[in-house]
Amino acid sequence: MPADTSPSRSSATSSSPARALSRRARLDRLRRLTARDHHLLRWLAEHYVLSTDQIAAALFPSRRSARLRLARLQQMEAVSRFVDVTTGSGQYLYTLGPLGVVVYPSAFNDPNRAHVRAPRSSVERTERIIGSRKLRHLLGTNQLFIDLAAYSRGDDNAMLARWWSEQHAAAVFARSGIQPDGHGVWAAGGREVGFFLEHDNGTEPLGTVLRKLRGYEQLAGYGPRYPVLLRVPGRRREQHLLEALAGVPTAMPVATGIHSEHPAGPAWTLTTDPGLRRWLHELPSDHGPDNPATNPHRFPDTDPGGVDPDR
């Protein structure tokens, strides 16, 4: 008679404990994730990548404590890391690891293409991020929001109440066609100021930067009227923008600032009043009409991604 090629009872029995152990190990790792860990993983799910310094500034009391916890999270496969070759700092950059993807399966799979198929694994997602032509731009964009989050840790009256990525904001405001590099709501000084960020590395012609304002004109007709922040590398490029926009009416407030200044302020110059630099919470801001049909994401929303885990 031919040999029996079906799995034996003993082999099936021997593999079962291995599977059970794997499940138990995953559950154990999940139980060891803290509220701060979950906050970080939510950020990585939406914003792709953060550096050691960025994570330390926004979420930890010191760089050393951040490095120790990040090393532990890597061992738990909650995060993955690779060396930053974009800025020359040589520090680690972090993305979601296999466990992190299980906890926060992300709709944002590729920085270059919003509607690409989902990756087969967290490794493939990380490879897309590493190979993205937008990696340096992502880090620069995220830095503004990290600076605000870090600032709020030392000021009980300030909070980054919302932080949306480019793809998140573009999806929510698709009707207008805007594609800001990021969208946030900053609460400070008794005010809640929404804003759209256009992070400029100085690689595009000024005309290209200015054409991005057209979509905001349409959004202002039915949605929020938030300031558009044109953040540029240096004072000279900022001055060129201010000169180009002098006397040009815009439906949205437009303010310029430079990378080296802290975004909480006073770092912003309104194009309608170039003689004064303002704090972010001093910029004009309007959440728009309270109309669910045209402005369904009007702030305030239930937005757990904006809650400080230390509060």
Side-chain angles (χ1 to χ4, degrees):
M1 294 183 62
D4 184 3
T5 57
S6 62
S8 67
R9 182 183 299 272
S10 61
S11 65
T13 303
S14 64
S15 64
S16 180
R19 289 197 299 270
L21 178 62
S22 176
R23 287 195 295 270
R24 286 198 300 270
R26 176 174 291 181
L27 287 172
D28 179 63
R29 292 175 181 180
L30 290 172
R31 282 193 293 266
R32 284 185 283 149
L33 291 174
T34 67
R36 181 169 57 192
D37 295 337
H38 280 281
H39 195 71
L40 171 60
L41 296 180
R42 286 196 300 269
W43 276 353
L44 293 177
E46 176 158 352
H47 305 291
Y48 290 109
V49 60
L50 293 169
S51 71
T52 303
D53 287 346
Q54 288 174 335
I55 295 168
L59 295 174
F60 287 86
S62 69
R63 195 175 191 275
R64 181 177 182 276
S65 63
R67 290 176 61 190
L68 290 172
R69 186 58 184 169
L70 288 168
R72 187 66 185 132
L73 290 175
Q74 187 199 18
Q75 292 173 356
M76 295 164 60
E77 297 187 322
V79 300
S80 298
R81 72 184 187 187
F82 57 96
V83 175
D84 178 14
V85 296
T86 65
T87 63
S89 69
Q91 65 179 310
Y92 284 121
L93 303 181
Y94 291 86
T95 65
L96 282 183
L99 184 69
V101 170
V102 169
V103 182
Y104 294 100
S106 176
F108 308 109
N109 296 313
D110 190 317
N112 295 337
R113 297 164 294 173
H115 304 295
V116 72
R117 64 169 177 81
R120 290 168 292 182
S121 67
S122 64
V123 173
E124 182 180 337
R125 183 176 184 272
T126 298
E127 288 174 345
R128 293 179 183 181
I129 296 169
I130 294 174
S132 172
R133 62 181 181 274
K134 291 186 175 182
L135 182 55
R136 180 169 173 263
H137 192 268
L138 276 172
L139 289 168
T141 296
N142 291 348
Q143 187 63 54
L144 176 139
F145 294 91
I146 289 294
D147 286 342
L148 292 176
Y151 182 95
S152 69
R153 298 182 71 215
D155 186 342
D156 291 338
N157 297 314
M159 184 176 71
L160 180 60
R162 177 188 281 174
W163 176 13
W164 287 356
S165 65
E166 172 189 350
Q167 292 181 359
H168 189 162
V172 168
F173 300 110
R175 178 180 172 185
S176 66
I178 66 170
Q179 287 188 300
D181 294 318
H183 160 56
V185 175
W186 176 237
R191 300 187 69 226
E192 293 168 344
V193 175
F195 62 89
F196 296 109
L197 173 64
E198 294 289 349
H199 179 82
D200 173 48
N201 282 328
T203 57
E204 295 179 324
L206 285 180
T208 301
V209 177
L210 296 175
R211 279 193 295 273
K212 294 178 181 180
L213 298 176
R214 293 175 182 171
Y216 296 104
E217 301 287 323
Q218 182 176 345
L219 179 60
Y222 58 84
R225 295 189 178 187
Y226 292 149
V228 181
L229 307 183
L230 304 179
R231 203 175 195 214
V232 299
R235 194 74 68 192
R236 184 175 181 179
R237 186 165 174 86
E238 180 188 34
Q239 187 59 41
H240 289 162
L241 276 173
L242 290 171
E243 290 171 357
L245 287 165
V248 178
T250 58
M252 294 283 200
V254 178
T256 62
I258 61 175
H259 296 177
S260 61
E261 293 188 337
H262 197 286
W268 302 103
T269 300
L270 284 168
T271 58
T272 55
D273 186 12
L276 180 66
R277 295 189 83 78
R278 289 173 167 83
W279 291 72
L280 181 56
H281 69 266
E282 295 174 336
L283 296 180
S285 175
D286 182 351
H287 295 311
D290 190 4
N291 185 341
T294 59
N295 194 16
H297 295 273
R298 186 181 188 278
F299 191 86
D301 294 325
T302 302
D303 189 16
V307 177
D308 188 332
D310 295 326
R311 290 174 182 251

